[in-house]
Amino acid sequence: MHEHQKPGHPTSHSGNHPGDKAGQPHAAGKPGHPGGQPKGHPGGHPGPKTLPDGKTPPCRLIAWEVTRSCNLACKHCRAEAHLEPYPGELSTAEAKALIDTFPGVGNPIIIFTGGEPLMRKDVFELVAHAKSKGLRCVMAPNGTLITPENARKMKESGIERCSISIDGPDAASHDFFRGTPGAFEQTMRGIQYLKDAGIEFQINTTVTRNNLGQFKDIFQLTQDLGAQAWHIFLLVPTGRGAEIEDQVISAKEYEDVLNWFYDFRKTTDMQLKATCAPHYHRILRQRAKEDGTPVTFETFGLDAVSRGCLGGVGFCFISHTGQVQPCGYLELDCGQVKQTPFPKIWADSMQFANLRNPETYTGKCGVCEYERVCGGCRARAQTMKGDYLAEEPLCSYTPKRACKGD
């Protein structure tokens, strides 16, 4: 979860998007959507193609940064370690009023992310309120603050899955990335408390130069822990993540790791997902064609029926102050829920309209035959090219047609 995706989204921290932004999701925090399968995936199996207005796509996943406060200072996260609530955080009444609008965009999964969502005092009250609206609720904590008591509250309030980020197979590598000695041990303990409470969990791992060689070991740990899924996140260098741009893998390394991931998924029954890695959807189709394997839900699960980048298309991020964004990594102000009802933002945002229209994309993304299944990472385009509609900077594929403007 974005950890900031958490996630994200989303994220990301917690990274998990489940939410983290990369959060993040995103998330900054979170990368990772603890959505589950198949109903738990943004944009997956199928559902109505539009809302009652006949034109707006349903929102399938919302990464909601209920607080930006966090007890960690992860190297990739947009947020800093900050133990007090940030100014402008939605009040309990404002947060519940926002939840009341969520059914107006479809039947989205709600990722409670951060920051560290467990640092928000009324978080379980908000989860229970969302659950009362019939919404699927998941959470993207970083794992270090989970106790037997709050794990029980998660279960009672309606949390169906948590995403926990693990970025190294041992304490030394994970704690270095998370910026806190002891984080690995605390996370392992938190995972056990989730298991004791009967809550599903997935593991999110942010791909960096430092841990590329440890992926098999991280997966083995994920399997040994009994996770329901393993999501890998390709680093989006925003926020504090910009400080570790030297850890961003190259376009060739990106291609190599996604090809490895395609092969590796054949060796396990665990649900695997590449997040913030939209061109995995291209690679999957290229490799499946070579293998003579049809790309169907039966052969590739949700990857066959979903799109790479879902920001503004089937997914969005809502910040701790109520700003709506395509994802936790892409800080475009698409509207403020304190001023405009969220369903109106989802339907009418100019940025969302652009993201839903392939004709607005420039460079090779604008002519690529895989655009509808990939879309490129809009946050990387913004961060590295200065334009969220520009071509994906870390894609080595050359489309069959010439780029716009050539």
Side-chain angles (χ1 to χ4, degrees), residues 101-117:
T101 69
F102 288 160
V105 298
N107 186 31
I109 298 162
I110 311 303
I111 303 168
F112 287 79
T113 183
E116 169 49 63

Side-chain angles (χ1 to χ4, degrees), residues 4 19 27 66 76 165 183 190 218 224 227 254 276 293 299 316 338 385:
H4 288 10
V66 292
H76 66 307
S165 290
I218 296 171
D224 292 346
Y254 199 146
C276 298
T293 305
T299 54
C316 74
K338 293 177 182 175
K385 298 260 186 183

Side-chain angles (χ1 to χ4, degrees), residues 273-295:
K273 178 162 176 54
T275 300
C276 298
H279 36 292
Y280 178 66
H281 289 254
R282 163 183 55 84
I283 289 169
L284 180 154
R285 284 158 177 80
Q286 290 174 310
R287 295 290 307 279
K289 185 176 181 182
E290 291 170 8
D291 296 344
T293 305
V295 178

Side-chain angles (χ1 to χ4, degrees), residues 5 11 16 27 33 47 57 64 86 89-90 98 101 124 128 153 192 197 230 237 248 324 340 374 396:
Q5 214 172 330
T11 187
N16 309 265
H33 314 326
W64 181 18
Y86 278 74
E89 222 169 69
L90 298 183
L98 173 60
T101 69
F124 299 117
K153 287 181 179 177
Q192 185 59 53
W230 184 43
V248 178
V324 179
T340 307
C374 170
S396 58

Side-chain angles (χ1 to χ4, degrees), residues 6-229:
K6 278 180 163 65
H9 18 119
T11 187
S12 198
H13 345 31
S14 306
N16 309 265
H17 192 323
D20 198 18
K21 265 178 171 176
Q24 195 10 60
H26 196 179
K30 292 155 176 119
H33 314 326
Q37 153 142 267
K39 62 182 178 181
H41 189 276
H45 216 57
K49 298 212 168 169
T50 67
L51 295 178
D53 65 7
K55 61 178 184 177
T56 305
C59 183
R60 303 193 186 278
L61 189 69
I62 297 169
W64 181 18
E65 180 187 59
V66 292
T67 180
R68 190 172 263 203
S69 300
C70 190
N71 60 315
L72 299 184
C74 303
K75 295 184 181 299
H76 66 307
C77 183
R78 69 184 188 294
E80 306 276 350
H82 190 283
L83 301 182
E84 299 301 320
Y86 278 74
E89 222 169 69
L90 298 183
S91 68
T92 302
E94 288 171 330
K96 285 185 173 180
L98 173 60
I99 290 168
D100 290 343
T101 69
F102 288 160
V105 298
N107 186 31
I109 298 162
I110 311 303
I111 303 168
F112 287 79
T113 183
E116 169 49 63
L118 291 175
M119 293 185 71
R120 177 154 179 147
K121 294 187 171 137
D122 62 356
V123 67
F124 299 117
E125 184 180 349
L126 300 183
V127 172
H129 189 67
K131 192 71 176 175
S132 75
K133 301 294 177 185
L135 298 167
R136 177 173 165 86
C137 300
V138 298
M139 186 176 282
N142 60 45
T144 64
L145 298 184
I146 299 173
T147 65
E149 181 185 17
N150 61 29
R152 178 178 53 78
K153 287 181 179 177
M154 280 185 213
K155 182 73 171 178
E156 290 173 353
S157 63
I159 292 297
E160 297 185 37
R161 179 182 282 196
C162 284
S163 67
I164 306 289
S165 290
I166 295 179
D167 298 297
D170 51 37
S173 54
H174 178 81
D175 290 359
F176 174 75
F177 194 74
R178 295 281 143 185
T180 305
F184 183 81
E185 181 182 349
Q186 292 169 330
T187 298
M188 293 298 109
R189 190 163 57 235
I191 287 173
Q192 185 59 53
Y193 294 147
L194 290 177
K195 291 164 76 170
D196 293 344
I199 298 174
E200 281 189 3
F201 68 96
Q202 70 184 52
I203 298 301
N204 295 335
T205 300
T206 297
V207 181
T208 69
R209 285 241 162 96
N210 280 347
N211 67 10
L212 263 178
Q214 301 174 307
F215 261 47
K216 286 190 179 175
D217 293 335
I218 296 171
F219 173 76
Q220 189 61 52
L221 174 62
T222 299
Q223 199 167 47
D224 292 346
L225 288 170
Q228 273 67 42

